Amino acid sequence: MAELVFAGKVRFLGLSEASAENVRRGHRVHPIAAVQNEWSLWSRDLETNDQLAAARELGIGIVAYSPLGRGFLTGAISGPSDFAADDFRAHSPRFQGVNFAKNLALVREVERLARRLGCTPAQLTLAWLLARGDDIVPIPGTKRVKYLEENLGALDVELRASERAALEAAFPPDAASGARYADMSFVNR
């Protein structure tokens, strides 16, 4: 990949879901511009496994994908029946059974605080991530202009330290119930 940069075919290098060790190792070969990881209130692994620290130590930007918890943190999902049969989330452990109920209780806390602040749950969730540092670029997926406009409203939400602390208390790094992805080791081929 470094050779592609030197040849002018690639401008910058980035890594996705790389361990802190791999980020450091890659950066020694060629500067890494960005690391992409799932990061939201309910997916906070990069805070606890040294990935965030490694990126910041090396001056690498952080691209946070699924910052709205695959849509769950928007408050728009109320039950498993909200998913079409071909929706990947219908088979995700976080969206099933007891996990769904426990995670929905977490979302209710986001909704409560968002009402108090006069913003939407999506805006609050994005504002929390943006408040974590200028090196973070959340990339929420959206299919409709109205959601894009709503997401942009997060730029106007200013969180006080006490509000950020309340969110982090409700969502400690291990708060989400269920794995991020289904175990695919038993899939028939």
Side-chain angles (χ1 to χ4, degrees):
M1 293 300 295
E3 290 174 12
L4 292 174
V5 174
F6 296 131
K9 296 179 179 184
V10 174
R11 193 174 226 180
F12 300 103
L13 298 182
L15 299 172
S16 182
E17 294 284 340
S19 69
E21 177 186 337
N22 283 339
V23 169
R24 287 185 178 100
R25 201 172 93 214
H27 197 74
R28 283 193 297 271
V29 174
H30 188 278
I32 303 298
V35 293
Q36 177 181 341
N37 284 76
E38 182 171 356
W39 193 10
S40 69
L41 282 167
W42 79 339
S43 292
R44 297 181 60 192
D45 295 343
L46 88 153
E47 295 174 48
T48 60
N49 64 16
D50 200 31
Q51 289 170 300
L52 181 61
R56 287 186 165 157
E57 163 194 321
L58 299 169
I60 298 171
I62 300 147
V63 178
Y65 76 83
S66 289
L68 298 175
R70 304 190 190 279
F72 202 62
L73 297 171
T74 66
I77 300 169
S78 59
S81 63
D82 291 341
F83 304 120
D86 62 345
D87 190 322
F88 132 85
R89 295 173 296 180
H91 309 288
S92 174
R94 289 192 175 174
F95 292 99
Q96 295 179 340
V98 171
N99 292 338
F100 189 96
K102 288 180 180 178
N103 291 330
L104 192 57
L106 294 171
V107 172
R108 297 298 178 237
E109 184 61 25
V110 171
E111 292 171 331
R112 185 190 65 72
L113 187 53
R115 276 191 304 275
R116 201 174 91 216
L117 294 174
C119 63
T120 68
Q123 290 168 338
L124 176 59
T125 301
L126 291 170
W128 170 81
L129 201 50
L130 291 167
R132 301 296 307 263
D134 291 337
D135 55 351
I136 300 164
V137 177
I139 53 170
T142 186
K143 294 178 182 171
R144 293 182 176 81
V145 171
K146 72 178 187 174
Y147 297 131
L148 173 63
E149 291 169 348
E150 176 185 350
N151 292 343
L152 287 171
L155 297 171
D156 298 324
V157 177
E158 293 186 35
L159 293 178
R160 293 189 301 256
S162 61
E163 294 157 346
R164 184 174 150 189
L167 275 172
E168 291 176 5
F171 277 91
D174 60 351
S177 185
R180 285 175 41 203
Y181 296 103
D183 181 2
M184 301 303 284
S185 63
F186 297 105
V187 174
N188 292 333
R189 295 180 188 224

